[in-house]
Amino acid sequence: MTENTQQTPASNPELPTQYAPAEVEGKLYERWVERGYFEADATSDKPPFTVVIPPPNVTGSLHLGHAFEHTLIDALTRRKRMQGYETLWQPGMDHAGIATQNVVERELAKESKSRHDLGREAFIDRVWQWKGESGGQISGQMKRLGDGVAWSRERFTMDEGLSQAVQTIFKKLYDDELIYRAERIINWCPRCLTAISDIEVEYQDDDGELVSIRYGEGEDSIVVATTRAETMLGDTAVAVHPEDDRYKHLVGKEIELPLTGRRIPVVADEHVDPEFGTGAVKVTPAHDPNDFEIGQRHGLPSLAVMDEHAIITAHGPFQGLDRLEARSAIVGALRAEGRIVAEKRPYVHSVGHCSRCKTTIEPRLSMQWWVKVGPLAKAAGDAVRDGRVKIHPQEMEKRYFDWVDNLHDWCISRQLWWGHRIPVWYGPDGEIVCVGPDEQPPSGEGWTQETDVLDTWFSSGLWPFSTLGWPEQTESLAKFYPNSVLVTGYDILFFWVARMMMFGLYAMDGTPPFHTIALHGMVRDQFGKKMSKSFGNAVNPLDWMDKYGSDALRFTLARGANPGVDVPIGEDWVQGSRNFANKIWNATRFALMNGATIEGELPDPSQMSATDRWILSKLNKTVAEVDAFYDDFQFSKLSEALFHFAWDEVFDWYVELSKTTFFAGGEQAKVSGRVLGEVLDVMLRLLHPVVPFVTETLWTSLTGRESVVIADWPKDTGFRDEAAEQEIELVQQVVTEVRRFRSDQGLQPGQKVPAELDLTGTALAPHEAAIRQLLRLQPAGDGFHATASLPVAGATVALDLSGTIDVEAERKRLTKDLGAAEKEKAQANAKLGNEAFLAKAPDNVVDKIRTRLAKADADIERITAQLANLPQS
C-alpha cells in the first residue's frame, strides 16, 4: 500500500512528549513555501487541477467564513496534489472599490481633508500607499491557516495585467452592443455617493410611517398612501387600474398636487393593484423604479427633487432639508391643510440599505453605464442545463436558475475614484469613443474621459481567466482554464458566480470558467445563530488558532461541512478537535516507541494475526470511503470517517489489542510493528489535507521522508478480510459487554478482578491475553469463587467480585434506584392513561411523558439485571 517513492527512510527522530502547535506551524509553512510545494508549472504534463480563491477584499481580515471556505479548498487541492495533479490554487485580492475608498477617506478625515482636497490622481496615489502599508493583512492570516496557494502567482484586481483584461472585455462588450449608457433609476447611496447594484442592497424591516394623502378637491379628489411623503414633490401623475370603476371618471383629468401649485394627470396603468390600499398610487418617475416604468409608458416627465446627498432641491419651504427632515415637515404641512386622511405609526416595512455603510438607499434617476445581460445570462443558464457545469448540491440549481433567468440589466458604473476607470472619452460635439488597451485615446480640446469607475464585481467576474494572463494566450491559460471546481458560499451565487459564468462563457468562446460549482453554507454559532458583532457572538478565528492550533480549527470546520448547509461552531468543538490532534500525536509517539515502522515490504497476510488483517481490511475500506466522500464534496462525512477510524479503530482497539504482542517481542511483534507503521503511514496521509501541520510532523518522523505534502495519496489495494473483521468484532463484543458490567458494578477502570474465560468453540482463543489486558482480568488462581457469570459472543466470562465491592451496600443502592424507576413508570402510566389529560395536553408534553416512560422501562430492566448479577451473600 505504500506507493511513496521519496528518499529512503531515515531513523525516526524522537518526538516531544506533547504537541505544541505554535512551535511547529509557522516553521512548517515557511518550509513548504520555500520548497515550492504549492507552485504550479504550466509546462508540466501532469493533469491540471485548478481552483481560484474567492478574492478577499484588500480591506479585509480573516473571519470564520474565510477560514471555513479556505479549509475546504485547501483540503481539495492538497489531496489532488498528492494524487499527482499539477495543482494551482490561485490567490489574490479584490480592490473593493467602495470599501477601500471609504477606508482611505476616513483616514483623510482625521487630517481634516477630503479626497477633493487632494484631487483624483493624488487620492489614488494615497490609496496605493495605504494598500502597501495596511492592505492585505489577510494574506499573512491565510498562511497561519495553512493555505497551500501559489504565492508567486498572487494577483490584485487593480494590477496591470488584470486592468488590461478589464479594458479588453469592456471594449469587446461595447463593440458587441452589450454595454450601453442610459438614464434609469438606480440604487443610490447618499453616504458613499455612488450607484450600487441590486445585489449590493441589503433589505431589512424598519419602523416607518404610512400616510394617506388626499390629492385634488371634491369629486375630483383621490387618496394615495405612501411611506415616503417627501417624494410627492416630484409626483407627475396618479395611476389607477384601467378596470377600476371607482376612478374611471378621473382617468385623463388633471388634479391638484398639494403643496406645489402643480396639476398632474390621472393615468390608467395595469401595474396598479386595485386591491391594495385605495387602488391609487402616486407616480414619482425620478425616485422609484416602478414609477419610472409607468412614466415611460405614459410619457410623463421625471422631476428629481433630491441631490446626491438626499437633500431636497425642489423650490419652496422644504428646499435644503434632509429627506427625513423633509418627510416630517411635509406631513406636518399636509396635516395643516387637512389633506392627511390616515396615519399609521409605526409601520414596519422592508427598506433597502447599502451593504457597505448601512445607509438607507435612495432610488434615483441617473445616467449610468449598463451591461445588457440577456444573452449573457441565457448562456450562463444553458451551461448548467446542458451539463457543462455541475452545481453541487444539485438542489441549489433552482436558486441559480431563478436568478439568471430573471436578471435585469446590470448597472456597472460607480461614482468613485478608486477602481477601473471606464475607458470611454466624450468629445466636444457629443462624440463617444470607447478605447481598447492597445488604442490611443482621442486628444485635443474638449475631449474628456468618463469620470466613473466600474463596479468591483466587473473585474472579479473575470478572475478565473484574467489571473491566468488573458487576453494574452499564455501557457497558464491553456493549462489551467477552465477551473476544475469553484468552492464558494451559496450567499454569493448571485454576486460572483453568475458574473463569472457570463464573462467566462463570453470571453472564452463558450467554455465555462469551471466544471463544478460546489456550494457550502454559512458559519453560525453553536446555537445556529448568525455571527455578528452586534449579537456579541462573532469570533476571531486567529484567537482559536492561537489557543488550540490551526489544525483544530480546520478539523472542526471540515467536520461540520455538509454541502449547501450552514455550519454551527462552538469553542468546545474546537477544543475537542485539539484533543483529537493530541490523540494522534500521543498514539503515534507510542507506536514509534514500540516498533512501528514502514521499512521493508508489508508481510504476507499468512504471517499476520487476525488483528493485523482486521485493521488492514478496515484501513482499505476507509481509503475507499474517504475517496468517495471527497469526490462528492462530503467534507463532514469524510472527516467523521477519518476521526472514527483513527480514534476508535486504530488507537482504542488496534493499538490496545496489539500491546501484548509488542510487549512479548519476537517475530510476531515485528510483523505487527510493520502493520502498525503501514496503518499510520496511510492514515496520516489521509488526514493530511484537513489537518496538515500535525500530520506533517508525525509522518516525516515515521517515514524519514521529505514531506507528506508531496507524498502519494493512498490507494485502496482491494485487501479485505471479512473473517478477520468478524473475529475482532467478537473480541470487541466481549470487551464492551464486560466493561459495561464492571461499570455497572461500580468497579474502577484499572481495578483488577480474578476471572475465568471459557472461549471453547469460539474464535476468541488467540485473543485471551489481549482480552485480559484490556479488561484488567487476573488469572483465577486458588480460592477463585465465581460470583458473576456473563455469557457473551458464545463465550463465558466468570468473575470473582468478592472483596472488590460491598455487595450489601451495592444491593441497597440498586434497590433504591429500582424503586425510583418503578415510581417514575407508575406516574407516567397514570398520566398516559388519563383521557382528560391527553385531550388537553400539548403534543410536546405528551411526547416528553412517553420518553420518561421509555427511560423508566430501560432503567428497570438494567437495574434488575445488575441485581441478579450481584454475588450471593
Side-chain angles (χ1 to χ4, degrees), residues 808-827:
E808 286 308 312
E810 185 67 10
R811 193 184 306 281
K812 287 181 180 178
R813 182 184 72 81
L814 289 173
T815 302
K816 181 179 178 182
D817 290 347
L818 180 62
E822 288 172 338
K823 182 179 180 181
E824 175 74 3
K825 178 178 180 178
Q827 290 175 341

Side-chain angles (χ1 to χ4, degrees), residues 703-868:
T703 66
R705 294 173 176 166
E706 182 181 341
S707 174
V708 70
V709 177
I710 53 173
D712 293 333
W713 181 252
K715 294 178 181 177
D716 175 9
T717 66
F719 179 82
R720 302 288 190 275
D721 193 324
E722 298 299 333
E725 289 192 37
Q726 292 173 12
E727 185 171 321
I728 301 306
E729 283 176 10
L730 293 177
V731 176
Q732 291 173 326
Q733 287 179 35
V734 171
V735 172
T736 301
E737 188 61 33
V738 176
R739 277 178 175 168
R740 182 182 298 116
F741 176 77
R742 285 176 57 108
S743 175
D744 288 344
Q745 301 307 315
L747 296 177
Q748 296 300 312
Q751 192 170 352
K752 294 182 179 180
V753 178
E756 283 184 346
L757 273 63
D758 181 2
L759 308 177
T760 307
T762 73
L764 295 167
H767 306 284
E768 180 170 353
I771 292 171
R772 285 186 176 276
Q773 170 72 22
L774 288 168
L775 291 172
R776 304 296 187 267
L777 301 181
Q778 294 177 317
D782 295 336
F784 176 81
H785 174 61
T787 59
S789 183
L790 302 176
V792 56
T796 302
V797 180
L799 304 172
D800 183 354
L801 301 181
S802 57
T804 61
I805 60 173
D806 184 334
V807 176
E808 286 308 312
E810 185 67 10
R811 193 184 306 281
K812 287 181 180 178
R813 182 184 72 81
L814 289 173
T815 302
K816 181 179 178 182
D817 290 347
L818 180 62
E822 288 172 338
K823 182 179 180 181
E824 175 74 3
K825 178 178 180 178
Q827 290 175 341
N829 274 327
K831 287 187 177 181
L832 293 174
N834 186 332
E835 294 295 335
F837 170 78
L838 292 176
K840 296 179 181 178
D843 290 345
N844 65 318
V845 172
V846 175
D847 288 342
K848 286 181 180 179
I849 294 172
R850 288 188 175 126
T851 301
R852 283 168 49 195
L853 177 60
K855 183 178 183 302
D857 281 334
D859 287 344
I860 290 169
E861 183 178 354
R862 174 179 56 82
I863 297 167
T864 301
Q866 288 176 241
L867 282 166

Side-chain angles (χ1 to χ4, degrees), residues 497-817:
V497 179
R499 279 149 174 68
M500 286 190 291
M501 286 285 283
M502 290 191 296
F503 281 168
L505 289 159
Y506 174 74
M508 301 300 292
D509 299 322
T511 302
F514 18 74
H515 297 301
T516 302
I517 301 168
L519 297 171
H520 59 72
M522 312 292 291
V523 179
R524 297 182 178 272
D525 71 12
Q526 59 187 316
F527 305 109
K529 191 174 182 180
K530 181 179 178 181
M531 286 192 172
S532 166
K533 290 181 180 178
S534 60
F535 295 155
N537 62 351
V539 174
N540 183 346
L542 296 173
D543 293 341
W544 281 353
M545 285 192 280
D546 289 341
K547 194 170 183 180
Y548 303 111
S550 298
D551 285 333
L553 176 63
R554 289 171 61 116
F555 191 74
T556 305
L557 291 167
R559 201 174 178 188
N562 290 299
V565 178
D566 289 346
V567 183
I569 185 172
E571 184 170 2
D572 54 337
W573 302 346
V574 184
Q575 185 175 354
S577 295
R578 189 271 312 275
N579 295 343
F580 179 49
N582 288 343
K583 183 77 169 181
I584 300 170
W585 182 274
N586 293 333
T588 304
R589 185 171 178 272
F590 169 85
L592 290 174
M593 293 168 62
N594 286 275
T597 180
I598 66 162
E599 294 187 27
E601 293 295 321
L602 198 62
D604 189 83
S606 62
Q607 299 176 271
M608 298 178 189
S609 67
T611 308
D612 294 332
R613 298 194 306 277
W614 162 74
I615 197 62
L616 288 177
S617 185
K618 287 285 190 179
L619 176 67
N620 276 282
K621 286 183 177 180
T622 301
V623 171
E625 192 175 30
V626 168
D627 274 333
F629 287 144
Y630 260 116
D631 292 341
D632 198 36
F633 305 102
Q634 298 279 0
F635 295 97
S636 177
K637 290 182 179 178
L638 71 88
S639 298
E640 283 294 315
L642 287 170
F643 175 86
H644 289 295
F645 175 73
W647 195 305
D648 300 345
E649 309 287 9
V650 179
F651 304 147
D652 280 359
W653 284 109
Y654 180 73
V655 170
E656 294 299 322
L657 286 170
S658 301
K659 279 183 178 179
T660 53
T661 302
F662 290 137
F663 296 160
E667 286 302 313
Q668 193 57 51
K670 291 180 181 179
V671 170
S672 293
R674 180 63 187 87
V675 170
L676 180 53
E678 181 76 6
V679 170
L680 291 176
D681 169 26
V682 174
M683 184 193 75
L684 291 170
R685 283 187 278 151
L686 288 174
L687 280 165
H688 173 72
V690 181
V691 285
F693 294 107
V694 67
T695 52
E696 171 79 337
T697 306
L698 294 174
W699 190 84
T700 52
S701 295
L702 171 70
T703 66
R705 294 173 176 166
E706 182 181 341
S707 174
V708 70
V709 177
I710 53 173
D712 293 333
W713 181 252
K715 294 178 181 177
D716 175 9
T717 66
F719 179 82
R720 302 288 190 275
D721 193 324
E722 298 299 333
E725 289 192 37
Q726 292 173 12
E727 185 171 321
I728 301 306
E729 283 176 10
L730 293 177
V731 176
Q732 291 173 326
Q733 287 179 35
V734 171
V735 172
T736 301
E737 188 61 33
V738 176
R739 277 178 175 168
R740 182 182 298 116
F741 176 77
R742 285 176 57 108
S743 175
D744 288 344
Q745 301 307 315
L747 296 177
Q748 296 300 312
Q751 192 170 352
K752 294 182 179 180
V753 178
E756 283 184 346
L757 273 63
D758 181 2
L759 308 177
T760 307
T762 73
L764 295 167
H767 306 284
E768 180 170 353
I771 292 171
R772 285 186 176 276
Q773 170 72 22
L774 288 168
L775 291 172
R776 304 296 187 267
L777 301 181
Q778 294 177 317
D782 295 336
F784 176 81
H785 174 61
T787 59
S789 183
L790 302 176
V792 56
T796 302
V797 180
L799 304 172
D800 183 354
L801 301 181
S802 57
T804 61
I805 60 173
D806 184 334
V807 176
E808 286 308 312
E810 185 67 10
R811 193 184 306 281
K812 287 181 180 178
R813 182 184 72 81
L814 289 173
T815 302
K816 181 179 178 182
D817 290 347

Side-chain angles (χ1 to χ4, degrees), residues 398-475:
K398 183 180 184 302
R399 297 182 66 172
Y400 176 80
F401 291 135
D402 286 347
W403 180 256
V404 298
D405 293 346
N406 297 284
L407 272 178
H408 299 295
D409 284 359
W410 173 18
C411 177
I412 56 172
S413 46
R414 299 290 180 267
Q415 289 64 56
L416 304 170
W417 286 357
W418 174 244
H420 296 102
R421 194 166 176 181
I422 291 177
V424 168
W425 272 256
Y426 303 112
D429 298 317
E431 304 97 329
I432 299 179
V433 176
C434 180
V435 177
D438 300 322
E439 300 171 352
Q440 290 294 320
S443 59
E445 187 175 348
W447 283 93
T448 59
Q449 185 180 358
E450 170 64 70
T451 57
D452 289 354
V453 301
L454 288 164
D455 177 11
T456 297
W457 296 104
F458 191 95
S459 51
S460 59
L462 313 181
W463 194 250
F465 52 93
S466 63
T467 53
L468 298 173
W470 187 90
E472 301 298 324
Q473 298 304 305
T474 64
E475 286 183 324

Side-chain angles (χ1 to χ4, degrees), residues 317-339:
F318 312 109
Q319 187 174 10
L321 295 180
D322 170 82
R323 56 182 166 169
L324 298 181
E325 296 172 332
R327 181 178 302 170
S328 177
I330 287 170
V331 170
L334 290 168
R335 190 183 299 111
E337 289 191 3
R339 293 198 173 267

